[in-house]
Amino acid sequence: MKNKRIVVFIPKKYESYIDEEISLVKTVYGDLDEVYIVRNPNPKTYIQQDKLEALSKDPPSKLVVMDILKPSQVTNILRKVNTEVVDRVLLILEVFVLHAGSREALLQIELARIRHTLPLIKDLIRKSKIGELAGFLGPGRYGFEKYYTYLRKRESRIRRELEEISKVRKIRREKRFREGIPQIAISGYTCAGKTTLFNALTGRNMPVGPEPFTTLNPKSARIYINGVHAIVTDTVGFIRDLPPEIIEAFYATLEEVLASDIIILVVDSSKPVARIIGEIETSRKIFNEIGVQGKPIILALNKIDSIGKEDLDKIVKEVLSYYNGFAKVVPVSAAKNVNIDLLKKEIASIIKGI
Ligand SMILES: Nc1nc2c(ncn2[C@@H]2O[C@H](COP(=O)(O)OP(=O)(O)OP(=O)(O)O)[C@@H](O)[C@H]2O)c(=O)[nH]1
Ligand SMILES: [Mg+2]
């Protein structure tokens, strides 16, 4: 019953992560029909002219570009090809929608989408004013202006509602703080096994899965380990080049990381070591961007059931030579329950020292 054709363009800079980029697109659209690598993006249209020419004769149902497109590039593509253009920001937001389980998550996604769409509508209005738009975009100016006003209003309504939700969360957090219970945030790259570890530490049964961004709403649970109480919070995963619009929109989720006393940074150690280090780097960069400073970070090298002892030794060595400021480095398997007790012991000893 397949009647849609999905064409995907991936920039050369992501060639070595192509599996991850394709898995993001597949999560939303299922099977892909054509995947192209873009070596030199065209400044006006991103995609090369001859390719656009061919697509204009036989438009796909979606044209996905796994990069951040400038508004003018989107409108220039739309002037040639009658299709829906989805860039990496919109695509990641669509992945988020699939997993969003709360009103807050949905509002955050909508806000990010609006922030991403407003400059595009502005560009369309500007081009229609100077008569640059022809064909199916041509007569749209009045519609674009109305749509722009609508989006601006919707944006401020969402912001107000999100502020309310954030206040409630803050009150809850302050209550825990008053009760003196240390907060532990489980953080890290998407699919690293954060929720599996959360379940292993808390005995809960939150959904886990191989597809990116399974978890979108932070979940907290109380634990009692080695004589100390703590609250563990699972969080949304990171990805390389997370667009700034998304970082801001998900600030409420990351607030839990910012407010924590200890961070457990989970990484998937079954990946090649260069990627492990890349993921740690991305995570530390995001911690910096949201203002995390001076907190003890435990590095949990997860999925050690999938690697050999020698691989593990090599990973530990290379990770430490890249950065040795972690409070502890603990190899674990969250799924197979390996070293979870050791991790609990390390958490407890850090808490006792706070
Ligand atoms: N082999 C192995 N697989 C694991 C382990 N821990 C988690 N996984 C698998 O890794 C995948 C991702 O696990 P999740 O716990 O959903 O990962 P996450 O970091 O919460 O991912 P998002 O919420 O999507 O960001 C799942 O298929 C898990 O079964 C482990 O210790 N060993
Ligand atoms: Mg998860």
Side-chain angles (χ1 to χ4, degrees):
M1 63 155 263
K2 191 173 157 89
N3 54 7
K4 57 183 177 100
R5 179 168 146 244
I6 312 288
V7 178
V8 186
F9 293 86
I10 297 179
K12 190 162 169 27
K13 63 180 175 185
Y14 292 155
E15 210 171 17
S16 50
Y17 309 100
I18 195 156
D19 53 327
E20 206 174 279
E21 295 298 305
I22 287 179
S23 116
L24 277 172
V25 188
K26 278 191 170 169
T27 304
V28 181
Y29 296 123
D31 287 340
L32 311 178
D33 299 277
E34 294 156 51
V35 178
Y36 301 99
I37 298 283
V38 180
R39 269 159 229 292
N40 298 304
N42 181 311
K44 288 217 167 86
T45 51
Y46 195 91
I47 297 161
Q48 295 303 339
Q49 289 299 330
D50 52 339
K51 195 75 230 160
L52 266 189
E53 208 52 59
L55 288 169
S56 72
K57 295 195 181 93
D58 181 18
S61 37
K62 302 243 191 243
L63 196 158
V64 182
V65 177
M66 288 308 271
D67 207 343
I68 300 181
L69 289 176
K70 293 196 199 93
S72 62
Q73 288 174 324
V74 178
T75 47
N76 287 336
I77 295 173
L78 288 174
R79 286 159 79 182
K80 280 233 169 251
V81 188
N82 187 2
T83 183
E84 190 183 332
V85 178
V86 178
D87 74 353
R88 194 166 180 270
V89 180
L90 290 177
L91 188 101
I92 292 177
L93 290 173
E94 287 193 36
V95 177
F96 285 165
V97 169
L98 293 178
H99 299 288
S102 71
R103 173 145 185 88
E104 181 185 21
L106 285 171
L107 287 172
Q108 283 166 342
I109 296 162
E110 193 183 343
L111 181 63
R113 204 197 301 266
I114 291 175
R115 290 193 60 210
H116 189 66
T117 311
L118 281 172
L120 172 68
I121 309 292
K122 240 186 174 160
D123 192 60
L124 283 168
I125 293 172
R126 190 185 62 81
K127 283 188 171 129
S128 60
K129 268 189 190 150
I130 52 176
E132 263 196 15
L133 292 180
F136 48 87
L137 290 177
R141 176 171 159 197
Y142 179 63
F144 297 145
E145 280 174 353
K146 263 175 73 172
Y147 190 46
Y148 189 84
T149 315
Y150 163 78
L151 288 180
R152 286 312 283 257
K153 279 195 185 139
R154 181 90 194 115
E155 184 187 15
S156 47
R157 283 220 347 238
I158 294 174
R159 277 191 195 284
R160 277 199 301 276
E161 199 175 329
L162 280 174
E163 270 165 31
E164 285 307 310
I165 296 174
S166 165
K167 267 186 217 152
V168 172
R169 197 198 288 282
K170 189 159 171 262
I171 292 168
R172 224 182 284 154
R173 225 174 19 232
E174 280 168 358
K175 182 167 170 278
R176 288 187 214 141
F177 186 75
R178 274 198 308 277
E179 289 169 356
I181 306 173
Q183 311 282 316
I184 302 165
I186 301 183
S187 187
Y189 217 69
T190 184
C191 290
K194 298 179 296 301
T195 306
T196 311
L197 184 64
F198 174 83
N199 290 341
L201 287 171
T202 63
R204 298 292 168 101
N205 194 16
M206 299 308 297
V208 302
E211 63 289 331
F213 300 114
T214 305
T215 308
L216 279 181
N217 308 304
K219 286 281 171 300
S220 299
R222 266 173 195 253
I223 54 170
Y224 181 69
I225 43 169
N226 300 46
V228 289
H229 288 278
I231 288 173
V232 188
T233 303
D234 187 13
T235 62
V236 63
F238 303 149
I239 194 157
R240 234 168 338 91
D241 294 347
L242 197 65
E245 296 99 310
I246 295 181
I247 293 191
E248 206 219 3
F250 278 76
Y251 193 74
T253 315
L254 300 178
E255 267 175 8
E256 300 284 328
V257 177
L258 191 58
S260 65
D261 302 294
I262 300 174
I263 296 173
I264 302 178
L265 174 57
V266 186
V267 297
D268 176 351
S269 58
S270 68
K271 289 188 172 168
V273 69
R275 260 169 96 159
I276 295 176
I277 290 180
E279 291 184 10
I280 296 175
E281 210 170 352
T282 300
S283 307
R284 292 185 58 228
K285 209 168 124 206
I286 294 175
F287 291 157
N288 254 331
E289 278 163 14
I290 63 172
V292 168
Q293 263 172 2
K295 291 186 200 301
I297 300 178
I298 300 177
L299 181 70
L301 291 171
N302 190 29
K303 308 197 189 181
I304 54 162
D305 55 291
S306 315
I307 57 169
K309 166 107 180 55
E310 276 165 30
D311 294 329
L312 179 60
D313 291 344
K314 184 172 165 235
I315 293 167
V316 173
K317 204 171 135 229
E318 295 211 13
V319 165
L320 290 180
S321 72
Y322 152 73
Y323 178 71
N324 72 354
F326 294 111
K328 277 280 172 227
V329 177
V330 187
V332 296
S333 167
K336 300 270 154 65
N337 209 13
V338 178
N339 279 354
I340 299 301
D341 283 340
L342 175 65
L343 180 64
K344 285 182 179 170
K345 207 180 105 202
E346 300 295 1
I347 295 171
S349 86
I350 293 177
I351 290 176
K352 285 172 188 161
I354 289 177

